[in-house]
Amino acid sequence: MNIERWLKIVIAPIVSEKSTTVADRHRQFIFKVLPEATKPEIKQAVEYLFKVKVKSVQTVRLKGKTKRFGRVMGKRANVKKAYVGLEEGYDIIFGGQ
């Protein structure tokens, strides 16, 4: 697999109250990923970027909402999220320290 492709697959971690709860209870971390990324690609990218062992990958496609911006109707972008479960003994820390 191409390392340049791995660097593009994971766009950003999603850090929220819900993602923190999921991480504590199920040892899963949530990432925003490219819409065309596959589960094996996501697994390899996370293992390469964070030096961890991935146990499972679950993906969700969220359709963008239609919203009103003043007088103009607009649409938010579609998003693909990946829930990445880690093997026992591995962890990812997104804060300082």
Side-chain angles (χ1 to χ4, degrees), residues 11-24:
I11 297 172
I14 297 176
V15 181
S16 64
E17 190 172 339
K18 180 180 177 181
S19 67
T20 305
T21 304
V22 170
D24 291 341

Side-chain angles (χ1 to χ4, degrees), residues 13-79:
I14 297 176
V15 181
S16 64
E17 190 172 339
K18 180 180 177 181
S19 67
T20 305
T21 304
V22 170
D24 291 341
R25 289 187 183 167
H26 304 291
R27 300 193 41 76
Q28 288 184 329
F29 295 89
I30 306 173
F31 296 96
K32 183 177 176 183
V33 296
L34 289 178
E36 65 272 5
T38 63
K39 289 181 182 183
E41 287 178 333
I42 294 168
K43 178 180 178 178
Q44 292 170 343
V46 171
E47 286 180 346
Y48 176 77
L49 290 172
F50 299 103
K51 309 293 187 257
V52 295
K53 280 287 199 189
V54 174
K55 183 177 183 179
S56 64
V57 177
Q58 296 171 319
T59 58
V60 178
R61 291 180 182 264
L62 298 177
K63 189 171 182 178
K65 290 182 178 181
T66 303
K67 302 288 278 187
R68 178 180 296 277
F69 300 102
R71 293 184 182 177
V72 179
M73 288 299 290
K75 183 178 177 295
R76 292 185 181 169
N78 297 335
V79 176

Side-chain angles (χ1 to χ4, degrees), residues 27 87-91:
R27 300 193 41 76
E87 292 283 345
E88 202 62 41
Y90 291 95
D91 197 17

Side-chain angles (χ1 to χ4, degrees), residues 83-97:
Y83 288 73
V84 178
L86 299 182
E87 292 283 345
E88 202 62 41
Y90 291 95
D91 197 17
I92 299 174
I93 299 173
F94 294 118
Q97 299 182 354

